[in-house]
Amino acid sequence: MNNSVRISIYNIILNYVFNRGFQDYDNFSRKLTEAILEDFAKGHFDLRKTISKVKTSFFRLNSISRSQFFNKRLEKAIINAWKNSSKINEPLTERTVKIIKTPLLSHGVCKELQVDDIDSFIEVRKVKPSEVVNLIPLDLDEEFIKNSLAEIIGETFVQKDWGGELGDLFTTRIKFRGHRIPTAFMFKGKGLRKKLTIADCGKNGDQILRLLKLPARLFIVQHVGEIDFTVREQLEMATEAKARQTGKALYYCLMDGVDTARVLLVYGKLDR
């Protein structure tokens, strides 16, 4: 199955939950997404029935019934997302079902890293978060941040930005646990000084989807300020899906304004 359909459906559900003032208790959006994909794989889908079989405390904690949560527009949006996937014109034969389920059976794993864990930024441990909080949000543009980080890791070949790019920087200069690891960056500079949310990462978070298309093993999302937890969930889910599909160990990292400032400061790219 195309990873993008899983993430697209997940985002549709997550946005529906938050737009109605609910909290995503018990990781409900992800559980419902997986249940929906299982039903599509079996050749049938009825959102009302799918909602009824998900074991979760979401409804009790949000004081809403399962029937109240159901919405025809939500169901239609999910169906459209499925139809727009790469399997749109392929009938749900036994062979198709096997292909759809393959990523769930692979043994790839993913793990979140902190910037402190990355060898190339090891000096960052010398700077406490409390030392830079007064600088947030950083008044720095994406180009400066990208070029500064490239200099820190020793990357000579920095790609120029263009509309169809998969990521802002792809490099093999990053070191982790003593080894070089292919790494893809997505940067957000002072053009977005508010909290970074999924809505700021392209339609249905497609910037993160494009980032995951790069042949990297570490994926880093950077921002000059706070990063919303939904971006973390999106990045985690996309990385986990790719890890399962490829059978490789993959890593992801969120580099918010505080961590960005710590790195730039300790390597002489930023003044206090």
Side-chain angles (χ1 to χ4, degrees), residues 14 186 195-201 208 221 227-237 252 254:
L14 195 63
M186 184 181 93
K195 180 191 293 187
L196 178 66
T197 67
I198 284 296
D200 303 309
C201 299
I208 292 178
V221 171
I227 299 177
D228 189 69
F229 77 93
T230 56
V231 176
R232 178 188 301 277
E233 287 189 336
Q234 171 84 312
L235 183 60
E236 177 187 9
M237 188 172 186
Y252 66 95
L254 293 168

Side-chain angles (χ1 to χ4, degrees), residues 24-50:
D24 193 33
Y25 293 121
D26 195 28
N27 214 1
F28 171 71
S29 295
R30 180 174 294 190
K31 288 183 177 180
L32 182 57
T33 297
E34 295 304 323
I36 288 169
L37 293 174
E38 287 180 9
D39 285 347
F40 274 125
K42 293 174 182 176
H44 60 79
F45 169 65
D46 182 322
L47 182 58
R48 197 187 299 272
K49 291 181 179 179
T50 307

